[in-house]
Amino acid sequence: GFRYYVVGSCEFNSSKLNDIESTPSYYYNKLEYIRFSSSVGKYVGYTEHGIKNAERWNNGPEVITSRGEKERYCFRNVGVFTESALTKS
């Protein structure tokens, strides 16, 4: 069978918004074909299909939605992530 999935990550070294990186990566059959980078502010394609989608998504509403994810999800939850990591170490 075929498998499609998205892995979202929030990387940070402080709770400041500009120190947080939001990176959702899109995979098909274990191969990453496109990724959004909040530091670059756009989608980047890694395969022929990913490059075509990146061009289309960077010129549509998808890029605007993804740009807001860093603040909406990562920034709001950085305290939860930090507290969880500190209590486990």
Side-chain angles (χ1 to χ4, degrees):
F2 300 102
R3 178 173 281 185
Y4 164 81
Y5 56 98
V6 180
V7 176
S9 68
C10 297
E11 298 174 25
F12 57 93
N13 55 17
S14 81
S15 60
K16 296 178 185 171
L17 188 60
N18 56 346
D19 289 336
I20 300 172
E21 170 78 19
S22 172
T23 311
S25 298
Y26 297 77
Y27 292 83
Y28 183 74
N29 281 353
K30 300 180 183 178
L31 178 66
E32 182 180 27
Y33 69 94
I34 193 169
R35 171 188 298 181
F36 178 82
S37 171
S38 64
S39 63
V40 177
K42 66 179 188 173
Y43 287 93
V44 178
Y46 296 107
T47 65
E48 182 179 344
H49 178 69
I51 292 168
K52 288 178 184 177
N53 276 329
E55 290 173 9
R56 189 169 47 95
W57 292 357
N58 285 329
N59 292 313
E62 295 87 357
V63 75
I64 295 167
T65 302
S66 294
R67 285 177 182 158
E69 286 300 298
K70 178 170 87 168
E71 187 170 347
R72 187 193 69 77
Y73 181 74
C74 295
F75 184 66
R76 287 179 137 180
N77 290 297
V78 72
V80 175
F81 298 145
T82 304
E83 183 64 29
S84 176
L86 292 176
T87 59
K88 304 277 188 286
S89 59

